[in-house]
Amino acid sequence: MAKDLFSSHPPFTPPTKEEDRLSWLRLIRSARVGPSTFFRLMSEYGTAEAALDALPKIAQAAGVDAYVPFPADKARAEIDLARAKGARMLCFGTDAYPATLASINAPPPVLWCMGQRAPILRPMVALVGARNASSLGTRMARSLADGLGHEGYTIVSGLARGVDAAAHHASLKTGTIAVMGGGVDVVYPTENTVLAAAIADQGLRLSEAPMGLYPQARHFPPRNRIISGLALAVVVVEAAEKSGTLITARDALDQGREIMAVPGHPVDGRAGGCNGLIRDGATLVRHVDDILEVLQRLQDTPPKVTGKGKSGTNETGDSTPRTSRTHAAEPGNATPLDARILALLGPSPTAEDQLIRDLQMSAAQISPVLVTLELQGILQRHPGGLVSKSQPPH
């Protein structure tokens, strides 16, 4: 490990110039650089431009030859497309960046926003649920969203069909935010095109994905962490026992958010996830007053803004597809510390804090090595501060 590649630098500041914003976008769009690695590099090098200059050397030390950061012309093209579509860039550390989202593990360094600024300045509640929602479920979603909106809360959801769409419709006039799985300019599902246009006009659409990106299944779990991260609390209206909605609930738990759920009939499959959450300690929601009671308590203790958070955000949310991956380093190329780390890791995620304790070393000693292994494609990060060995593609 080339230790001189990681030196001490003062805390970084958010970009204020066009060239700084371009460098931020290039860094987060570079291959194998997700939010966690972005903040590690920024902490080490102070600016995105310096981190971009250092990336090829870091990659070379990690055994990745001919590494090229995201090209400046492609980043400029994305910025130009955003301007043409009426989207604006929101960077971590700026006054407009919400404190709730800034407090999560490895928050998105860059967001594209389309719509009004006002909704993101108000306290937010996430309202999520089943795509195949029942009539009762959609009515409940509308009722809760309408009631919370008139009490001054912005409703955050994912623009999916079912519960999400019902929540957005009911909160259009009071404030709603749609967090997109793909580019902020790409509406999915297409049946919500009219709703998405209304949100851009009256509310806010946002995404960490590149402009123009059509969403795929792997983009939605990272998207879900933003939904829960923006909110003071997550309310689940309907969810099956094994559903994407419960990913948002797990993210909320990892982020220290309050989880609330609407109960359902035991034999209704769409209620299994909600009933399970309540069994495990989530607040039972009968009407909007149950939510307001919890929110009043939560707002007495606002989240602490940590900036970088822990190092465990799921790196599958990287904006650049990993079309090529360098597999495990040859034994002769691995350092003794690399070998010790890899010996402790397997395909099942392990807490990074536990890994550091097992190695009986400091986090400052371990973190640069983990970055190197991540750039090699040997190590993969998962939500909740977990790491594992990367699995080769089939």
Side-chain angles (χ1 to χ4, degrees):
M1 177 71 192
K3 292 184 179 179
D4 59 335
L5 295 176
F6 292 89
S7 55
S8 178
H9 287 267
F12 63 88
T13 57
T16 56
K17 300 178 182 178
E18 184 71 18
E19 286 303 309
D20 294 335
R21 285 188 283 270
L22 179 71
S23 296
W24 272 51
L25 190 61
R26 288 186 63 203
L27 184 58
I28 191 59
R29 296 288 185 257
S30 293
R32 299 192 178 99
V33 176
S36 179
T37 303
F38 177 96
F39 286 112
R40 286 172 183 260
L41 292 170
M42 290 292 289
S43 294
E44 292 294 335
Y45 293 98
T47 67
E49 185 177 1
L52 286 165
D53 290 340
L55 258 181
K57 293 181 181 179
I58 298 173
Q60 186 176 30
V64 180
D65 295 327
Y67 183 96
V68 178
F70 194 75
D73 59 340
K74 291 187 177 180
R76 287 194 184 94
E78 183 175 347
I79 291 174
D80 290 343
L81 178 60
R83 284 178 177 152
K85 294 292 185 72
R88 61 188 182 278
M89 184 185 291
L90 178 59
C91 295
F92 174 87
T94 59
D95 291 341
Y97 199 97
T100 46
L101 188 59
S103 73
I104 72 171
N105 295 338
V110 174
L111 290 167
W112 285 117
C113 302
M114 187 180 290
Q116 305 299 317
R117 185 184 178 192
I120 210 167
L121 302 178
R122 305 164 70 198
M124 292 168 270
V125 177
L127 208 161
V128 295
R131 288 174 172 81
N132 63 333
S134 67
S135 175
L136 181 60
T138 54
R139 290 202 306 272
M140 188 65 169
R142 287 195 295 267
S143 174
L144 295 177
D146 179 71
L148 289 168
H150 282 96
E151 290 294 329
Y153 293 93
T154 291
I155 299 300
V156 182
S157 200
L159 197 62
R161 58 177 62 94
V163 166
D164 289 20
H168 286 309
H169 273 296
S171 54
L172 271 174
K173 293 182 179 180
T174 55
T176 194
I177 296 175
V179 184
M180 321 278 282
V184 73
D185 57 327
V186 179
V187 178
Y188 179 86
T190 54
E191 67 193 62
N192 284 338
T193 298
V194 174
L195 173 60
I199 294 173
D201 181 55
Q202 302 176 60
L204 182 68
R205 286 162 34 190
L206 61 81
S207 175
E208 67 178 334
M211 295 292 298
L213 179 70
Y214 189 83
Q216 300 176 18
R218 64 186 178 89
H219 297 134
F220 290 102
R223 181 279 307 264
N224 292 345
R225 90 188 195 285
I226 300 177
I227 293 176
S228 56
L230 284 167
L232 296 170
V234 173
V235 181
V236 183
V237 175
E238 284 185 335
E241 290 186 356
K242 295 180 180 180
S243 65
T245 300
L246 295 189
I247 296 177
T248 309
R250 287 195 295 270
D251 287 338
L253 186 64
D254 290 339
Q255 295 163 353
R257 303 296 190 257
E258 189 76 16
I259 302 173
M260 295 178 260
V262 176
H265 196 285
V267 301
D268 186 346
R270 288 168 295 201
C274 289
N275 291 342
L277 289 172
I278 294 168
R279 176 199 61 200
D280 294 337
T283 299
L284 186 150
V285 173
R286 300 163 297 174
H287 41 65
V288 72
D289 288 342
D290 289 332
I291 303 173
L292 293 171
E293 180 180 344
V294 174
L295 292 174
Q296 183 61 48
R297 172 172 54 83
L298 292 176
Q299 289 184 275
D300 292 336
T301 55
K304 179 182 178 182
V305 179
T306 60
K308 286 171 279 184
K310 296 180 183 178
S311 58
T313 294
N314 185 350
E315 295 299 321
T316 58
D318 291 358
S319 300
T320 303
R322 301 181 183 184
T323 54
S324 62
R325 171 177 284 173
T326 301
H327 301 301
E330 295 296 327
N333 295 333
T335 68
L337 182 53
D338 291 346
R340 289 180 63 193
I341 291 173
L342 294 175
L344 291 172
L345 292 178
S348 298
T350 299
E352 183 176 336
D353 292 346
Q354 183 60 53
L355 177 66
I356 292 171
R357 287 194 294 271
D358 291 342
L359 290 166
Q360 297 183 337
M361 299 175 69
S362 69
Q365 292 172 298
I366 302 300
S367 293
V369 184
L370 296 181
V371 171
T372 298
L373 293 174
E374 187 177 11
L375 286 170
Q376 286 178 299
I378 299 172
L379 177 142
Q380 183 176 359
R381 298 186 184 278
H382 305 270
L386 304 179
V387 294
S388 71
K389 279 185 181 178
S390 296
Q391 296 301 298
H394 297 294

